[in-house]
Each structure stands twice: as structure tokens, then as C-alpha cells.
Amino acid sequence: MKDDSSSFGSVSNAISGGTDVQGAQSVTFNAQHETLDITDFSDTGMDMIKGLENPDVTIDSNFDSSNSGGQAIIIDDLEGSLTDNLHVAFLPDENGSLGFEARMTVESAEHTGEVDGKAEVSYSLVPQGGNGFSIIT
Amino acid sequence: MGVGNSGFQGTVKVDKSSSISTRTDGNALGGVQTASITPTQTPLDITSFADTGIDNIKGLQDTELTIDLVEKPDDTAQTDIEEVFLDRELVYVAFFPSSTSFGFTSQFIVSEISNDSEVDSPDTKTLTLLQSDSSGYTVLT
């Protein structure tokens, strides 16, 4: 997770230039295109083409009360106090070198606590900037 | 990382007359068993012809607060919530997810109080509060 347009961060394994989201338990980076149906009368099967890239990210996490790290960056964006762009990198492989990256903004942060449980938070992020996502190799 | 591991250590604070700006403000709501707050920035789609992907900007801030609690008739904050609901007034509420000073606060209307009574259980309520503050919500640190 990074508040800098020139770099990107991590939501899993450490990567240079980013800040880990501490406490993350489940991360979904949905790298998807819109699909446009161009099937016409001459076709005998469905014909789809790629449209705009529309990634979305969901992070389910233990609440990090340290007010630092990746969750603090997300909250800054939610609050509107983040001065730079928020970039998210999702690096699911064990070496932290392969994955996806996109410029995002926080849509919501659902904080939940139960009397016999722990404080948890679920972040939902939507794309910003109009550049879609990148594949990190 | 400051994750509470011995149960939920958060707090819901209520104040009928003054905004809540710190963890020590307001009355702690008693009997809370589950609390959930969802601060939201409704994204606005500004994607244009030059873009190769969807482009959103931040929209209005909105907050919904849901609280499940055990009824405690002598609890000041529970009484305040019921009074503002009946009088159609507004109430300041702050939600602190853990034992630290980090939290969210705004002014709310009490949209719904759902009461549940069973013969072999304590009376419980589910409160639903909706943001009523043109300034949005405030993050407390």
C-alpha cells in the first residue's frame, strides 16, 4: 500500500517501496475487464471483446490499532487527507514478486467488533485514475 | 500490531448535546454485544474516452452504524438513544474499534430500534443509525 504515484505497495509479501497491510487475513484483487457483447446476426456463437479495465480490491483484516502502516494509509484516503495517490499491489506468490497493481481509492471501511471476538475491518477499494491495472512480473 | 486478543475492547460513545472529539467524551453505551460502523465515500465514475480503465473520484461521505445490545434500563447512553429516537432529534456517536483513541464520529439520526424479547433470554435491541451531518464523518486519532 503506497501513497505515492511513482511506486506501489503490498498487501501480502514485502515489496520495495510499499507498506504492508498488517493483519490482513483475506485479500481479493479482482483484475477484470468489462466485457462488451459484439455478437451480430452473422455469428453462430457469442462474440465478446474486452472493454475498460475495472479492478476491485477487498481486504478483510484484523483491525490494526497502531495507526501506522498500510491500514493507516487506507484510512487517510478514506478521510481525504492522503496527499498522494493510493496504489495497491497484490503479490500472492511466496516470493512477493508476481502479482497485480492498480491505483485505487477507498470506497468503504467496515469496522466490526463483538463482545466475544476481535476487532475486524473490511476495506473495499475501487479504481481511480483511469489506467486500469498492471501485471507485476 | 494492536489487535485485541481477549475480546472486543472497543467502545461506542454517545452525546446528545456536544460533538465527540476524543475517547473521553460522551457516555459509553452499555450492553453492547456487536457494533459495526461503515464509513463510505460513494465513488463517482468520471471515466472518459481517454481512459483504458474505470476512473472514480471520491463522492459524499456517508456512515451507517449498527449496534446489537442487551437492554439495560439504567444505562444513561441507552436512555439517551431512546429519547432522541422518540423526539426525532440527532445524537453524536463515536465508535472506537479497540482500546486506543482511533475511531470514527459523526452526528446521526436513530433510524430504527428493533426490540427482541424471549422467555428465556435477556431483552435485546438492534439499533440502526444513519449519518445526519453535511460535513460527513471525522476520523479520530
Side-chain angles (χ1 to χ4, degrees), chain A residues 63, chain B residues 8-13 20-25 94-104 140:
Chain A
F63 172 66
Chain B
F8 176 49
Q9 299 172 351
T11 311
V12 179
K13 293 291 187 89
I20 295 174
S21 57
T22 71
R23 192 179 174 82
T24 58
D25 292 347
F95 177 49
F96 299 92
S98 73
S99 57
T100 68
S101 57
F102 175 87
F104 296 92
L140 304 175

PDB file of all heavy atoms in Angstrom, chain A residues 63, chain B residues 8-13 20-25 94-104 140:
ATOM      1  N   PHE A  63      -8.195  -5.667  12.872  1.00  0.00           N
ATOM      2  CA  PHE A  63      -8.009  -4.224  12.999  1.00  0.00           C
ATOM      3  C   PHE A  63      -6.638  -3.939  13.583  1.00  0.00           C
ATOM      4  O   PHE A  63      -6.253  -4.518  14.599  1.00  0.00           O
ATOM      5  CB  PHE A  63      -9.098  -3.623  13.896  1.00  0.00           C
ATOM      6  CG  PHE A  63      -8.852  -2.183  14.232  1.00  0.00           C
ATOM      7  CD1 PHE A  63      -8.884  -1.225  13.246  1.00  0.00           C
ATOM      8  CD2 PHE A  63      -8.576  -1.799  15.536  1.00  0.00           C
ATOM      9  CE1 PHE A  63      -8.644   0.100  13.541  1.00  0.00           C
ATOM     10  CE2 PHE A  63      -8.345  -0.476  15.843  1.00  0.00           C
ATOM     11  CZ  PHE A  63      -8.370   0.479  14.855  1.00  0.00           C
TER      12      PHE A  63
ATOM     13  N   PHE B   8     -13.508  -8.198  22.386  1.00  0.00           N
ATOM     14  CA  PHE B   8     -13.666  -6.878  21.780  1.00  0.00           C
ATOM     15  C   PHE B   8     -13.505  -5.803  22.843  1.00  0.00           C
ATOM     16  O   PHE B   8     -14.220  -5.797  23.833  1.00  0.00           O
ATOM     17  CB  PHE B   8     -15.050  -6.794  21.140  1.00  0.00           C
ATOM     18  CG  PHE B   8     -15.364  -5.457  20.564  1.00  0.00           C
ATOM     19  CD1 PHE B   8     -14.473  -4.828  19.734  1.00  0.00           C
ATOM     20  CD2 PHE B   8     -16.562  -4.824  20.853  1.00  0.00           C
ATOM     21  CE1 PHE B   8     -14.763  -3.600  19.187  1.00  0.00           C
ATOM     22  CE2 PHE B   8     -16.872  -3.602  20.310  1.00  0.00           C
ATOM     23  CZ  PHE B   8     -15.967  -2.982  19.477  1.00  0.00           C
ATOM     24  N   GLN B   9     -12.543  -4.929  22.657  1.00  0.00           N
ATOM     25  CA  GLN B   9     -12.253  -3.899  23.650  1.00  0.00           C
ATOM     26  C   GLN B   9     -12.646  -2.509  23.164  1.00  0.00           C
ATOM     27  O   GLN B   9     -12.152  -1.510  23.654  1.00  0.00           O
ATOM     28  CB  GLN B   9     -10.769  -3.928  24.008  1.00  0.00           C
ATOM     29  CG  GLN B   9     -10.342  -5.261  24.600  1.00  0.00           C
ATOM     30  CD  GLN B   9      -8.845  -5.361  24.787  1.00  0.00           C
ATOM     31  OE1 GLN B   9      -8.102  -4.505  24.331  1.00  0.00           O
ATOM     32  NE2 GLN B   9      -8.408  -6.404  25.450  1.00  0.00           N
ATOM     33  N   GLY B  10     -13.488  -2.456  22.179  1.00  0.00           N
ATOM     34  CA  GLY B  10     -13.903  -1.169  21.657  1.00  0.00           C
ATOM     35  C   GLY B  10     -14.976  -0.518  22.511  1.00  0.00           C
ATOM     36  O   GLY B  10     -15.443  -1.064  23.513  1.00  0.00           O
ATOM     37  N   THR B  11     -15.363   0.682  22.080  1.00  0.00           N
ATOM     38  CA  THR B  11     -16.349   1.456  22.826  1.00  0.00           C
ATOM     39  C   THR B  11     -17.231   2.222  21.862  1.00  0.00           C
ATOM     40  O   THR B  11     -16.759   2.709  20.836  1.00  0.00           O
ATOM     41  CB  THR B  11     -15.655   2.473  23.752  1.00  0.00           C
ATOM     42  OG1 THR B  11     -14.633   1.828  24.497  1.00  0.00           O
ATOM     43  CG2 THR B  11     -16.662   3.103  24.705  1.00  0.00           C
ATOM     44  N   VAL B  12     -18.507   2.322  22.196  1.00  0.00           N
ATOM     45  CA  VAL B  12     -19.405   3.226  21.499  1.00  0.00           C
ATOM     46  C   VAL B  12     -19.765   4.346  22.467  1.00  0.00           C
ATOM     47  O   VAL B  12     -20.226   4.079  23.574  1.00  0.00           O
ATOM     48  CB  VAL B  12     -20.680   2.501  21.024  1.00  0.00           C
ATOM     49  CG1 VAL B  12     -21.610   3.484  20.328  1.00  0.00           C
ATOM     50  CG2 VAL B  12     -20.329   1.353  20.092  1.00  0.00           C
ATOM     51  N   LYS B  13     -19.511   5.580  22.083  1.00  0.00           N
ATOM     52  CA  LYS B  13     -19.780   6.736  22.937  1.00  0.00           C
ATOM     53  C   LYS B  13     -20.943   7.533  22.352  1.00  0.00           C
ATOM     54  O   LYS B  13     -21.082   7.652  21.127  1.00  0.00           O
ATOM     55  CB  LYS B  13     -18.546   7.633  23.044  1.00  0.00           C
ATOM     56  CG  LYS B  13     -17.362   6.996  23.802  1.00  0.00           C
ATOM     57  CD  LYS B  13     -17.685   6.862  25.264  1.00  0.00           C
ATOM     58  CE  LYS B  13     -16.491   6.405  26.082  1.00  0.00           C
ATOM     59  NZ  LYS B  13     -15.668   7.492  26.559  1.00  0.00           N
ATOM     60  N   ILE B  20     -18.349  14.692  19.677  1.00  0.00           N
ATOM     61  CA  ILE B  20     -17.351  13.861  20.351  1.00  0.00           C
ATOM     62  C   ILE B  20     -16.040  13.987  19.598  1.00  0.00           C
ATOM     63  O   ILE B  20     -15.973  13.705  18.405  1.00  0.00           O
ATOM     64  CB  ILE B  20     -17.821  12.398  20.385  1.00  0.00           C
ATOM     65  CG1 ILE B  20     -19.087  12.292  21.253  1.00  0.00           C
ATOM     66  CG2 ILE B  20     -16.730  11.490  20.922  1.00  0.00           C
ATOM     67  CD1 ILE B  20     -19.719  10.917  21.249  1.00  0.00           C
ATOM     68  N   SER B  21     -15.010  14.436  20.320  1.00  0.00           N
ATOM     69  CA  SER B  21     -13.737  14.635  19.642  1.00  0.00           C
ATOM     70  C   SER B  21     -12.612  13.808  20.239  1.00  0.00           C
ATOM     71  O   SER B  21     -11.536  13.726  19.650  1.00  0.00           O
ATOM     72  CB  SER B  21     -13.343  16.118  19.685  1.00  0.00           C
ATOM     73  OG  SER B  21     -13.293  16.576  21.015  1.00  0.00           O
ATOM     74  N   THR B  22     -12.849  13.187  21.376  1.00  0.00           N
ATOM     75  CA  THR B  22     -11.827  12.315  21.954  1.00  0.00           C
ATOM     76  C   THR B  22     -12.505  11.105  22.582  1.00  0.00           C
ATOM     77  O   THR B  22     -13.723  11.085  22.774  1.00  0.00           O
ATOM     78  CB  THR B  22     -10.993  13.016  23.054  1.00  0.00           C
ATOM     79  OG1 THR B  22     -11.808  13.201  24.210  1.00  0.00           O
ATOM     80  CG2 THR B  22     -10.476  14.360  22.590  1.00  0.00           C
ATOM     81  N   ARG B  23     -11.707  10.132  22.948  1.00  0.00           N
ATOM     82  CA  ARG B  23     -12.233   8.912  23.547  1.00  0.00           C
ATOM     83  C   ARG B  23     -12.874   9.170  24.908  1.00  0.00           C
ATOM     84  O   ARG B  23     -13.670   8.349  25.388  1.00  0.00           O
ATOM     85  CB  ARG B  23     -11.100   7.886  23.684  1.00  0.00           C
ATOM     86  CG  ARG B  23     -11.571   6.491  24.030  1.00  0.00           C
ATOM     87  CD  ARG B  23     -10.400   5.520  24.132  1.00  0.00           C
ATOM     88  NE  ARG B  23     -10.863   4.224  24.596  1.00  0.00           N
ATOM     89  CZ  ARG B  23     -11.407   3.300  23.805  1.00  0.00           C
ATOM     90  NH1 ARG B  23     -11.492   3.517  22.513  1.00  0.00           N
ATOM     91  NH2 ARG B  23     -11.820   2.161  24.289  1.00  0.00           N
ATOM     92  N   THR B  24     -12.523  10.257  25.562  1.00  0.00           N
ATOM     93  CA  THR B  24     -13.061  10.540  26.892  1.00  0.00           C
ATOM     94  C   THR B  24     -14.371  11.313  26.836  1.00  0.00           C
ATOM     95  O   THR B  24     -15.002  11.527  27.870  1.00  0.00           O
ATOM     96  CB  THR B  24     -12.040  11.322  27.727  1.00  0.00           C
ATOM     97  OG1 THR B  24     -11.707  12.528  27.034  1.00  0.00           O
ATOM     98  CG2 THR B  24     -10.785  10.501  27.958  1.00  0.00           C
ATOM     99  N   ASP B  25     -14.798  11.745  25.664  1.00  0.00           N
ATOM    100  CA  ASP B  25     -16.070  12.480  25.545  1.00  0.00           C
ATOM    101  C   ASP B  25     -17.251  11.517  25.564  1.00  0.00           C
ATOM    102  O   ASP B  25     -17.139  10.362  25.162  1.00  0.00           O
ATOM    103  CB  ASP B  25     -16.114  13.274  24.232  1.00  0.00           C
ATOM    104  CG  ASP B  25     -15.112  14.407  24.216  1.00  0.00           C
ATOM    105  OD1 ASP B  25     -14.578  14.729  25.293  1.00  0.00           O
ATOM    106  OD2 ASP B  25     -14.868  14.960  23.131  1.00  0.00           O
ATOM    107  N   ALA B  94     -19.668   8.164  18.630  1.00  0.00           N
ATOM    108  CA  ALA B  94     -18.306   7.802  18.218  1.00  0.00           C
ATOM    109  C   ALA B  94     -18.113   6.314  18.420  1.00  0.00           C
ATOM    110  O   ALA B  94     -18.589   5.748  19.406  1.00  0.00           O
ATOM    111  CB  ALA B  94     -17.272   8.569  19.026  1.00  0.00           C
ATOM    112  N   PHE B  95     -17.443   5.698  17.474  1.00  0.00           N
ATOM    113  CA  PHE B  95     -17.152   4.266  17.558  1.00  0.00           C
ATOM    114  C   PHE B  95     -15.644   4.088  17.567  1.00  0.00           C
ATOM    115  O   PHE B  95     -14.954   4.506  16.629  1.00  0.00           O
ATOM    116  CB  PHE B  95     -17.773   3.537  16.368  1.00  0.00           C
ATOM    117  CG  PHE B  95     -17.472   2.057  16.329  1.00  0.00           C
ATOM    118  CD1 PHE B  95     -17.650   1.264  17.437  1.00  0.00           C
ATOM    119  CD2 PHE B  95     -17.028   1.446  15.171  1.00  0.00           C
ATOM    120  CE1 PHE B  95     -17.390  -0.096  17.409  1.00  0.00           C
ATOM    121  CE2 PHE B  95     -16.759   0.077  15.122  1.00  0.00           C
ATOM    122  CZ  PHE B  95     -16.941  -0.688  16.255  1.00  0.00           C
ATOM    123  N   PHE B  96     -15.148   3.490  18.649  1.00  0.00           N
ATOM    124  CA  PHE B  96     -13.716   3.191  18.777  1.00  0.00           C
ATOM    125  C   PHE B  96     -13.542   1.674  18.667  1.00  0.00           C
ATOM    126  O   PHE B  96     -13.993   0.939  19.545  1.00  0.00           O
ATOM    127  CB  PHE B  96     -13.190   3.699  20.121  1.00  0.00           C
ATOM    128  CG  PHE B  96     -13.328   5.186  20.309  1.00  0.00           C
ATOM    129  CD1 PHE B  96     -14.459   5.722  20.919  1.00  0.00           C
ATOM    130  CD2 PHE B  96     -12.357   6.059  19.857  1.00  0.00           C
ATOM    131  CE1 PHE B  96     -14.620   7.084  21.084  1.00  0.00           C
ATOM    132  CE2 PHE B  96     -12.497   7.427  20.018  1.00  0.00           C
ATOM    133  CZ  PHE B  96     -13.632   7.945  20.632  1.00  0.00           C
ATOM    134  N   PRO B  97     -12.939   1.182  17.595  1.00  0.00           N
ATOM    135  CA  PRO B  97     -12.876  -0.265  17.375  1.00  0.00           C
ATOM    136  C   PRO B  97     -12.059  -1.022  18.414  1.00  0.00           C
ATOM    137  O   PRO B  97     -12.276  -2.218  18.612  1.00  0.00           O
ATOM    138  CB  PRO B  97     -12.216  -0.389  15.998  1.00  0.00           C
ATOM    139  CG  PRO B  97     -12.359   0.942  15.365  1.00  0.00           C
ATOM    140  CD  PRO B  97     -12.339   1.927  16.480  1.00  0.00           C
ATOM    141  N   SER B  98     -11.092  -0.362  19.045  1.00  0.00           N
ATOM    142  CA  SER B  98     -10.265  -1.066  20.022  1.00  0.00           C
ATOM    143  C   SER B  98     -10.081  -0.159  21.234  1.00  0.00           C
ATOM    144  O   SER B  98     -10.808   0.807  21.416  1.00  0.00           O
ATOM    145  CB  SER B  98      -8.914  -1.451  19.409  1.00  0.00           C
ATOM    146  OG  SER B  98      -8.093  -0.310  19.259  1.00  0.00           O
ATOM    147  N   SER B  99      -9.100  -0.470  22.051  1.00  0.00           N
ATOM    148  CA  SER B  99      -8.897   0.309  23.270  1.00  0.00           C
ATOM    149  C   SER B  99      -8.095   1.586  23.041  1.00  0.00           C
ATOM    150  O   SER B  99      -7.769   2.292  23.978  1.00  0.00           O
ATOM    151  CB  SER B  99      -8.183  -0.553  24.308  1.00  0.00           C
ATOM    152  OG  SER B  99      -6.953  -1.029  23.781  1.00  0.00           O
ATOM    153  N   THR B 100      -7.765   1.877  21.792  1.00  0.00           N
ATOM    154  CA  THR B 100      -6.968   3.065  21.512  1.00  0.00           C
ATOM    155  C   THR B 100      -7.878   4.256  21.196  1.00  0.00           C
ATOM    156  O   THR B 100      -9.102   4.148  21.221  1.00  0.00           O
ATOM    157  CB  THR B 100      -6.032   2.826  20.313  1.00  0.00           C
ATOM    158  OG1 THR B 100      -6.834   2.703  19.125  1.00  0.00           O
ATOM    159  CG2 THR B 100      -5.218   1.561  20.491  1.00  0.00           C
ATOM    160  N   SER B 101      -7.257   5.395  20.901  1.00  0.00           N
ATOM    161  CA  SER B 101      -8.014   6.623  20.646  1.00  0.00           C
ATOM    162  C   SER B 101      -8.511   6.720  19.217  1.00  0.00           C
ATOM    163  O   SER B 101      -9.199   7.682  18.858  1.00  0.00           O
ATOM    164  CB  SER B 101      -7.148   7.842  20.974  1.00  0.00           C
ATOM    165  OG  SER B 101      -5.948   7.812  20.215  1.00  0.00           O
ATOM    166  N   PHE B 102      -8.187   5.734  18.356  1.00  0.00           N
ATOM    167  CA  PHE B 102      -8.634   5.759  16.966  1.00  0.00           C
ATOM    168  C   PHE B 102     -10.122   5.415  16.873  1.00  0.00           C
ATOM    169  O   PHE B 102     -10.594   4.464  17.505  1.00  0.00           O
ATOM    170  CB  PHE B 102      -7.839   4.747  16.134  1.00  0.00           C
ATOM    171  CG  PHE B 102      -8.324   4.623  14.718  1.00  0.00           C
ATOM    172  CD1 PHE B 102      -7.845   5.461  13.734  1.00  0.00           C
ATOM    173  CD2 PHE B 102      -9.287   3.692  14.379  1.00  0.00           C
ATOM    174  CE1 PHE B 102      -8.308   5.365  12.435  1.00  0.00           C
ATOM    175  CE2 PHE B 102      -9.756   3.576  13.087  1.00  0.00           C
ATOM    176  CZ  PHE B 102      -9.262   4.424  12.108  1.00  0.00           C
ATOM    177  N   GLY B 103     -10.828   6.208  16.089  1.00  0.00           N
ATOM    178  CA  GLY B 103     -12.247   5.901  15.906  1.00  0.00           C
ATOM    179  C   GLY B 103     -12.892   6.801  14.872  1.00  0.00           C
ATOM    180  O   GLY B 103     -12.220   7.596  14.204  1.00  0.00           O
ATOM    181  N   PHE B 104     -14.183   6.649  14.720  1.00  0.00           N
ATOM    182  CA  PHE B 104     -14.963   7.453  13.790  1.00  0.00           C
ATOM    183  C   PHE B 104     -16.092   8.128  14.571  1.00  0.00           C
ATOM    184  O   PHE B 104     -16.660   7.529  15.482  1.00  0.00           O
ATOM    185  CB  PHE B 104     -15.577   6.590  12.689  1.00  0.00           C
ATOM    186  CG  PHE B 104     -14.572   5.930  11.795  1.00  0.00           C
ATOM    187  CD1 PHE B 104     -14.105   4.655  12.076  1.00  0.00           C
ATOM    188  CD2 PHE B 104     -14.076   6.576  10.673  1.00  0.00           C
ATOM    189  CE1 PHE B 104     -13.187   4.033  11.261  1.00  0.00           C
ATOM    190  CE2 PHE B 104     -13.148   5.963   9.853  1.00  0.00           C
ATOM    191  CZ  PHE B 104     -12.700   4.687  10.148  1.00  0.00           C
ATOM    192  N   LEU B 140     -11.046  10.008  14.228  1.00  0.00           N
ATOM    193  CA  LEU B 140     -10.368  10.411  15.469  1.00  0.00           C
ATOM    194  C   LEU B 140      -9.089   9.599  15.624  1.00  0.00           C
ATOM    195  O   LEU B 140      -9.086   8.392  15.435  1.00  0.00           O
ATOM    196  CB  LEU B 140     -11.284  10.166  16.664  1.00  0.00           C
ATOM    197  CG  LEU B 140     -12.667  10.840  16.606  1.00  0.00           C
ATOM    198  CD1 LEU B 140     -13.513  10.410  17.785  1.00  0.00           C
ATOM    199  CD2 LEU B 140     -12.514  12.345  16.588  1.00  0.00           C
TER     200      LEU B 140
END
